[in-house]
Amino acid sequence: MPVSTAEFREWLERGSLSPSPTALSTLTGINRGTLNNQLRRGNVAESTVIAIARAIGANVIDALSVFSPYRIIRSRPIEPSPAEVLSQVHHADLMAELQFRTSQKHYPRGLRKEIDLIAFPHDGSVRAWIDAIDPGDVRQRMSQDTGMALTYIATQLTENKLNPHLAIAASKAGEGSFATGLVVTELITPAEGGWQIRAREDELLEVSDDVLVDAISARIHLLQRRVKQRKEAREYAEKMTELLG
């Protein structure tokens, strides 16, 4: 949810920053017309707040927490939970870890030396994160909290994205770190969201065998759904092509 222009101007004033679109554009590199439109509409994008905070060397979590929709962020630990960290390990890396553990003769761990984990957010980051924090009704609670339709939320997840407002609602429903949703949706960086440099590597080594297998099973199920969706989309496109000649 964008922040109000009134709160935004107050925040700028406290930081002795000019509210002029020209000045803000020079400071952040954001297009002046974009800034002018945001101010005129009365809603300033969260990404604009983040860009200004970075430009002046301020903590981005502290900056967001000033605004009404995001004051809740610091009500919980900023650092991600172990489940949230594991959700950001790509399925290929999860499977590789299982091979290292179950067949050291054929897959010695030394094979991994000098090879980094696949970067995140990865192509299934948002859905994997939602599944990791889901108490069973996270989508319904996201819809109730934001007023957004379940079909819209489903579409966002299928496209591996969430707007910041939905990310906060998901964290609230799932009792996860409010910052992690903003990391997974790429509003802020992992470092800004309290992630340790080797958080994923350490969690992958420390996670129990049963949790690792459960994570792999969940990812395979997700991959099956994605393959099915792509197949259905391709078949629909082919039918439309036939109809239209």
Side-chain angles (χ1 to χ4, degrees):
M1 177 182 292
V3 304
S4 76
T5 296
E7 284 188 308
F8 180 69
R9 290 183 182 278
E10 289 176 5
W11 176 65
L12 292 177
E13 185 176 348
R14 286 196 297 272
S16 300
L17 297 171
S18 170
S20 160
T22 300
L24 294 176
S25 177
T26 301
L27 178 66
T28 64
I30 299 174
N31 182 274
R32 185 181 64 178
T34 298
L35 292 165
N36 191 52
N37 288 337
Q38 291 181 15
L39 293 169
R40 189 177 68 251
R41 288 197 304 265
N43 293 305
V44 178
E46 297 90 345
S47 57
T48 298
V49 174
I50 296 297
I52 293 171
R54 288 171 178 161
I56 63 175
N59 182 293
V60 299
I61 296 295
D62 288 342
L64 273 179
S65 298
V66 168
F67 301 96
S68 299
Y70 299 99
R71 288 175 185 160
I72 194 172
I73 293 178
R74 285 203 175 276
S75 65
R76 294 179 186 168
I78 296 300
E79 296 75 16
S81 68
E84 288 177 309
V85 172
L86 193 64
S87 77
Q88 297 311 295
V89 178
H90 194 275
H91 63 265
D93 290 320
L94 293 173
M95 293 176 185
E97 177 63 23
L98 182 62
Q99 291 176 319
F100 296 149
R101 295 187 185 191
T102 58
S103 185
Q104 295 182 24
K105 177 180 178 180
H106 295 92
Y107 299 99
R109 191 172 290 279
L111 290 174
R112 188 81 210 208
K113 190 177 182 181
E114 308 298 333
I115 301 177
D116 294 331
L117 294 184
I118 295 171
F120 88 107
H122 53 72
D123 56 3
S125 273
V126 175
R127 185 63 169 271
W129 172 65
I130 288 290
D131 290 345
I133 65 172
D134 188 0
D137 61 350
V138 67
R139 291 162 181 76
Q140 289 80 1
R141 291 168 67 179
M142 289 166 65
S143 178
Q144 292 169 2
D145 191 39
T146 64
M148 297 181 186
L150 282 170
T151 51
Y152 175 77
I153 294 172
T155 299
Q156 288 261 297
L157 293 177
T158 297
E159 296 176 356
N160 194 44
K161 63 183 181 181
L162 280 181
N163 63 47
H165 189 33
L166 279 172
I168 291 293
S171 295
K172 187 187 299 183
E175 300 185 355
S177 161
F178 287 112
T180 296
L182 304 181
V183 171
V184 171
T185 54
E186 300 187 77
L187 181 65
I188 63 177
T189 68
E192 291 168 340
W195 287 61
Q196 298 299 313
I197 293 176
R198 289 187 54 82
R200 297 187 307 146
E201 288 82 356
D202 292 344
E203 183 60 29
L204 189 57
L205 290 174
E206 295 171 6
V207 69
S208 64
D209 290 347
D210 57 338
V211 171
L212 176 62
V213 171
D214 285 346
I216 292 172
S217 177
R219 298 297 182 84
I220 289 175
H221 178 65
L222 177 57
L223 286 170
Q224 289 173 328
R225 293 186 63 178
R226 289 169 61 189
V227 168
K228 181 180 179 181
Q229 288 169 344
R230 289 171 182 172
K231 179 182 178 182
E232 291 174 346
R234 183 171 63 252
E235 290 175 347
Y236 176 77
E238 290 173 352
K239 288 181 180 178
M240 291 301 295
T241 300
E242 291 177 4
L243 288 172
L244 296 174

